[in-house]
Amino acid sequence: MVSSMDIAKIGLKDKVTIELKVWMDNPDDYQFQPRVHLDGNMIRITNEGYADEFASVELDEEILEAAERDRFVELRIKFEVGGMHGQLNHMNPNPKDGKGKKLATPNWKTVVPLL
């Protein structure tokens, strides 16, 4: 299950793009179905099947106009898992280049309708 969501950035090029940072409870959890709600000039992001509102932000006029026109947004999601990602205490060096290895961070991009 999703433990928290943070909106990192909202941008506008051809369509409204929202960058999310999503923290999951464990790596085998696939209970994530994002839903985006537009209430006035506020965007709320929830997870399908759960009543909790995880993230919300107020939109400026230009982004609000584009969102109302298109009626969908593009989500760029960066997943992190509690206990796996974050600060590493011990980094194993890679003998080829001498740099420490990092854990992979999965990213996901999807287009969702505004509800």
Side-chain angles (χ1 to χ4, degrees):
M1 183 172 146
V2 175
S3 60
S4 71
M5 275 190 238
D6 297 320
I7 296 175
K9 184 171 125 179
I10 295 182
L12 176 65
K13 286 189 180 179
D14 297 338
K15 55 188 164 237
V16 178
T17 304
I18 301 174
E19 292 184 16
L20 283 177
K21 191 176 198 180
V22 177
W23 282 91
M24 303 297 281
D25 288 333
N26 86 40
D28 295 326
D29 192 5
Y30 304 107
Q31 296 293 327
F32 182 64
Q33 298 175 358
R35 299 293 181 252
V36 180
H37 305 273
L38 182 64
D39 296 327
N41 64 345
M42 295 287 292
I43 277 206
R44 296 182 304 111
I45 300 176
T46 60
N47 193 8
E48 178 71 23
Y50 298 94
D52 300 338
E53 175 184 321
F54 285 101
S56 64
V57 68
E58 187 173 336
L59 300 177
D60 63 357
E61 290 292 323
E62 184 180 358
I63 295 175
L64 178 63
E65 182 180 318
E68 288 175 340
R69 177 189 68 221
D70 298 337
R71 297 305 297 170
F72 68 87
V73 297
E74 179 180 282
L75 293 178
R76 294 183 181 185
I77 302 162
K78 180 179 178 182
F79 288 102
E80 297 189 14
V81 180
M84 287 182 65
H85 296 98
Q87 188 69 23
L88 290 177
N89 295 330
H90 177 69
M91 293 178 69
N92 296 321
N94 187 348
K96 291 182 181 177
D97 58 7
K99 295 181 182 175
K101 293 181 181 179
K102 295 182 180 177
L103 291 172
T105 306
N107 295 321
W108 188 38
K109 186 166 96 171
T110 186
V111 175
V112 296
L114 288 174
L115 303 174

